[in-house]
Amino acid sequence: METKNIKHKKLPLGFTFSFPCRQNKLEEGVLLSWTKHFKVRGVQEMDVVSCLRNALRKHKDMDAEVFALVNDTVGTMMTCGYDDQRCEVGVIIGTGTNACYMEEMRHIDLVEGDEGRMCINTEWGAFGDDGSLNDIRTEFDREIDLGSINPGKQLGLYLGELVRLILLKMAKEGLLFNGKLSTALRTKGKIETKHVAAMEKYKEGLNNTKEILMDLGLTPSEEDCIAVQHVCTIVSFRSANLCAAALAAILARLRENKKLTRLRTTVGIDGTLYKIHPQYAKRLHKVVRRLVSNCDVRFLLSESGSAKGAAMVTAVAYRLVSQRKQINEILASFILTKENLIDVKNKMREELEYGLKKETHPTATVKMLPTYVCGTPDGTEKGKFLALDLGGTNFRVLLVKIRSGRRKSVRMYNKIFAIPLEIMQGTGEELFDHIVQCIAEFLEYMGIKGARLPLGFTFSFPCRQASIDKGSLVGWTKGFKATDCEGEDVVDMLREAIKRRNEFDLDIVAVVNDTVGTMMTCGYEDPNCEIGLIAGTGSNVCYMEEMTNIEIVEGDEGKMCINTEWGGFGDNGCIDNIRTKYDKEVDEGSLNPRRQRYEKMTSGMYLGEIVRQILIDLTKQGLLFRGQISESLRTRGIFETKFLSQIESDRLALLQVRRILQQLGLDSTCDDSIIVKEVCGAVSRRAAQLCGAGLAAIVEKKRENGNLEHLKVTVGVDGTLYKLHPHFSRILRETVKDLAPQCDVTFMLSEDGSGKGAALITAVAKRLHSVAEN
């Protein structure tokens, strides 16, 4: 650092440490054993990075932070990987020998996680320590092993020493040098690998052999030189064969891992023996290709050793650490503390009260709309009913047959129709004519055009109701924008459209919200169900409230279902402290800016948009998609809820996440996929927690309404987010339990949606009506 005049800089440091280490992290490695003539005391079983850090601390004028500990084999693979991205194996054949390769995470039991790949340092030098190579080991191998620093370990590449021992035996037996020995020939380590390489050189080999032998104090004849050269060839050829066999095993494994009939790959390679020996590389390549004929292998010599690779690993680690910091800062704004959630619960509770009071109702953000649904099913309902279900881009028409008594049952027949965008955003007349056209098709299809059936209309938009069959639209949500509807009675608009068509007549008994429909559907199965929750495209809750608390409706007897329309919670700025800049961007770009703020943080329609805004920001900062904002990332609405659910699925490997992103036109790396998954997780987790906090306010209110120490209640739930997302329902339930510990809440999935609920409400209304008449 002094020479390069960089002492004053804080620099990331990568440490190539070419000895077997057990690594739990990239920047930590416990030395298992010394090899290659090293035998320093007190280091084995120690973390060598800590040792290096301690030594660095002694130099106060130096500031270097260790980010990565890398084996030289890994360094070689990374160095070559920089020039050839197919490189997934690193091999060293030099003083020692070793290999590393990219293994599938799912096969590495020692490390948690099964996504992506990780580089495995094989430490193959120890292959055979268990005796598995005994049948091919010679007396010379055994002699070398016994004379080494680590007997019984790392049986392999002491080529020069092997040649010396063979020549010594041949001389002793009178086969070489006329049986004469020299002191040098008897001395360990006098013949080195570089000598073996020189003796095998084409053309100059014999001359070199003569010189080397004379330097050893011997007087060789020409026959001696040829014989010695032959010994060198046999020893180095065996070495190349052994390395080729081990490498072939790795290549065969890679091919099987990828389930390919043919593998194309690159092996990064380094080491003095491989580099300086004239025939070694050629022999190794030839044998590898013969052993794995179904692999096309490119061998790439590492020009700058393993140091460049270690620097690469360090650079990547350094980039990831600073990236991680930036990503964590961005996602931190989506983390809600328990205090935040309690605050949301308390504020929601206040807004519920404002909505119920006559004086504050007109300005309340949570509308608290009376539905005039005053009872849940009791099992005596029966008859045939029609139900309509309008709540999103699909419209359903259903025929519902309800049987009462011991064999009570509900049978349904339905047909789904699409609502094109031009009709969602056209005129009110066009929308209701389209609805009636769909009803006509269904009645025709079922052969019941002549029957005047009672009808329940699930209309999943905020309505102010004056009775069960009157509802004026407060305002469109969920992308609907049909003109001349707001403030109008939707039942009247439907009746007018039926008249215009003049083909059939229907008895419209009830207009209901999908949330109420969900509560009724579940209430038919479980009399304890007094709350309905929708967590799907939109987000809403209804519940049975005591009539005494509903100041905006006459009468104090019994209960009435209140459609909270809680999506508008926060429109007065009461939750601005937890809204992020991404929420504000999504809000500003929506069809109804500054309205439905809570819904925009909790419902499926907007979560994907929030994710998209975050991804754009991360890409702008160069943390994703190589800094390239693709056309599809600029497209509003590409991230549907279903993609969020798929991306966050625990069963999906990163490769599948990448595939989903590619379908969306986003070309991602594995790192990108991890980040996208995290972003989706942060957004959906917050949505589930906010939903849970809101629901906790409702169950607490019901508990206090009944002056109960403990409340036992069932919540009927519907909606794609709750049903399909892998974690949403669990986080929602946990949040409710945490924030309303005195309430025992059961969640019941509405299997048949709100259409069945509309029919049940119609049936209950008919029942109550006939009771009132009698």
Side-chain angles (χ1 to χ4, degrees), residues 397-629:
V397 186
L398 305 93
L399 173 66
V400 183
K401 295 179 180 175
I402 305 174
R403 281 169 66 168
S404 61
R406 268 208 332 265
R407 295 176 61 198
K408 78 169 192 174
S409 69
V410 177
R411 285 173 70 193
M412 298 196 295
Y413 309 87
N414 75 74
K415 208 166 164 73
I416 295 175
F417 302 89
I419 299 210
L421 190 66
E422 63 271 17
I423 285 183
M424 281 168 70
Q425 299 180 6
T427 67
E429 201 167 283
E430 285 167 345
L431 174 64
F432 280 90
D433 283 347
H434 180 75
I435 286 171
V436 171
Q437 159 84 31
C438 298
I439 297 170
E441 276 183 40
F442 179 75
L443 296 176
E444 187 87 51
Y445 171 73
M446 294 299 293
I448 49 170
K449 219 168 191 175
R452 189 174 188 271
L453 294 171
L455 178 141
F457 184 11
T458 301
F459 186 75
S460 312
F461 302 92
C463 277
R464 192 160 270 112
Q465 287 187 250
S467 66
I468 196 160
D469 64 347
K470 283 195 182 319
S472 52
L473 176 64
V474 175
W476 285 118
T477 55
K478 292 179 275 199
F480 275 73
K481 257 287 205 251
T483 56
D484 311 322
C485 294
E486 295 189 4
E488 298 297 323
D489 182 350
V490 294
V491 176
D492 284 346
M493 291 182 85
L494 180 60
R495 284 191 179 124
E496 293 293 318
I498 291 172
K499 261 192 209 140
R500 275 197 299 277
R501 186 151 184 116
N502 199 20
E503 276 183 28
F504 53 83
D505 194 18
L506 297 168
D507 171 19
I508 304 172
V509 175
V511 60
V512 296
N513 183 278
D514 56 345
T515 325
V516 185
T518 297
M519 180 187 79
M520 293 298 266
T521 302
C522 295
Y524 186 68
E525 308 293 334
D526 178 353
N528 234 352
C529 181
E530 293 207 328
I531 301 172
L533 165 70
I534 296 277
T537 317
S539 174
N540 195 15
V541 158
C542 71
Y543 71 103
M544 296 303 287
E545 178 59 274
E546 303 299 322
M547 281 293 285
T548 46
N549 295 335
I550 311 171
E551 292 183 8
I552 41 178
V553 178
E554 297 291 313
D556 283 347
E557 289 298 306
K559 294 178 180 181
M560 184 186 282
C561 178
I562 291 288
N563 166 20
T564 65
E565 285 299 336
W566 76 0
F569 173 53
D571 287 0
N572 58 0
C574 70
I575 52 171
D576 278 3
N577 61 314
I578 57 169
R579 284 176 82 223
T580 66
K581 65 173 185 173
Y582 307 106
D583 295 307
K584 290 169 190 159
E585 278 163 11
V586 168
D587 181 32
E588 289 306 320
S590 70
L591 287 169
N592 52 352
R594 292 172 296 289
R595 282 171 56 187
Q596 300 292 106
R597 288 182 182 179
Y598 181 67
E599 179 168 78
K600 284 170 186 166
M601 294 165 84
T602 55
S603 74
M605 181 162 182
Y606 299 98
L607 297 190
E609 255 321 274
I610 299 172
V611 166
R612 190 178 72 88
Q613 292 296 345
I614 300 170
L615 298 186
I616 287 175
D617 197 16
L618 289 171
T619 309
K620 278 181 186 164
Q621 293 184 41
L623 301 169
L624 260 187
F625 307 133
R626 302 175 188 85
Q628 303 293 312
I629 299 178

Side-chain angles (χ1 to χ4, degrees), residues 692-730:
L695 194 55
I698 301 239
V699 295
E700 276 292 317
K701 180 168 184 12
K702 282 193 69 63
R703 185 179 68 79
E704 285 170 28
N705 281 351
N707 289 322
L708 300 168
E709 186 65 35
H710 258 86
L711 170 76
K712 200 170 165 40
V713 71
T714 299
V715 177
V717 199
D718 202 356
T720 46
L721 198 55
Y722 188 92
K723 281 180 168 173
L724 303 179
H725 191 281
H727 310 299
F728 188 93
S729 57
R730 174 183 53 79

